[in-house]
Amino acid sequence: PIAALAAEDESEKAGKAQGSKVFNRTEEGKAAQESARLAKEREENKAATTTLAETMLAAAEAQSKDKTTLRQKVVDYALSFVGGPYRYGGNDPRTGVDCSGFTRFVLGNAAGISLPRSSGSQATQGIPVSPDQMQPGDLLFYSGGGGINHVAMYIGSGKVVHASTYETGIIVSNWNYRNPVRIVNVIG
């Protein structure tokens, strides 16, 4: 009987050990499933983050392209008046316009941007930029001793378009034909 009890005891120990192995395998399986689930979740989050980043980049590029397109539209519209007459106090480049009337007319009609009438007041609008940050459509202001007395529009390639004098009318000049005292971005 003692030998039978010992054999039974060994059999019970073996069963418990076997049960422990089954239990360990079940826990191992659960851990593996959890690990796989977490890995899949990480991949999904990574894919979603990548998709979000790509979407944001595409939106930023589209917005930038829209601004570039608007700036080009403004410049093209302004250039369509080159050769037009200068008239102090004038508001229409087809019948005669001065410098601030010109920029006000062009930006209002090509971009829907409302500007004050005088060059000094226009200089208070928008965001100041440096010469190396200038973009087509930005406004350059020049001073004649007593403050700002002239405005021109940057058109790219180092040039501006502006209503200059009675003799020249609306012309294209180098942006630094005079030293600008302020440059502003009014388009955004």
Side-chain angles (χ1 to χ4, degrees):
I2 292 179
L5 279 176
E8 208 174 280
D9 194 36
E10 286 298 315
S11 173
E12 193 174 303
K13 284 182 185 175
K16 283 183 181 175
Q18 186 67 23
S20 177
K21 286 181 185 174
V22 169
F23 176 75
N24 286 342
R25 285 192 186 133
T26 301
E27 287 301 309
E28 288 171 4
K30 286 181 183 177
Q33 285 176 340
E34 181 64 10
S35 178
R37 185 189 68 76
L38 290 173
K40 181 179 178 187
E41 192 174 293
R42 278 191 300 273
E43 285 300 313
E44 288 171 353
N45 286 341
K46 184 178 176 184
T49 301
T50 300
T51 301
L52 177 62
E54 289 169 348
T55 301
M56 290 173 66
L57 179 61
E61 287 172 350
Q63 186 177 19
S64 176
K65 183 178 179 190
D66 288 347
K67 290 289 184 194
T68 300
T69 302
L70 177 60
R71 287 179 175 280
Q72 193 58 55
K73 177 182 171 187
V74 167
V75 166
D76 291 346
Y77 189 62
L79 290 173
S80 73
F81 298 108
V82 169
Y86 177 91
R87 183 168 59 89
Y88 181 77
N91 293 304
D92 187 327
R94 295 169 292 225
T95 58
V97 67
D98 64 13
C99 63
S100 57
F102 179 66
T103 53
R104 182 174 193 233
F105 182 91
V106 169
L107 285 162
N109 287 288
I113 296 170
S114 179
L115 289 176
R117 180 61 182 86
S118 72
S119 57
S121 294
Q122 288 179 10
T124 67
Q125 305 296 301
I127 302 163
V129 296
S130 66
D132 61 317
Q133 296 171 317
M134 282 189 305
Q135 298 178 68
D138 287 349
L139 300 180
L140 288 80
F141 298 90
Y142 304 88
S143 175
I148 291 172
N149 68 353
H150 189 65
V151 58
M153 178 181 293
Y154 188 67
I155 60 172
S157 302
K159 305 285 186 189
V160 293
V161 62
H162 56 124
S164 185
T165 66
Y166 284 103
E167 292 79 31
T168 62
I170 300 169
I171 61 171
V172 172
S173 304
N174 289 326
W175 74 274
N176 58 355
Y177 79 102
R178 288 170 60 186
N179 188 33
V181 294
R182 184 168 175 85
I183 304 168
V184 298
N185 171 354
V186 294
I187 295 177

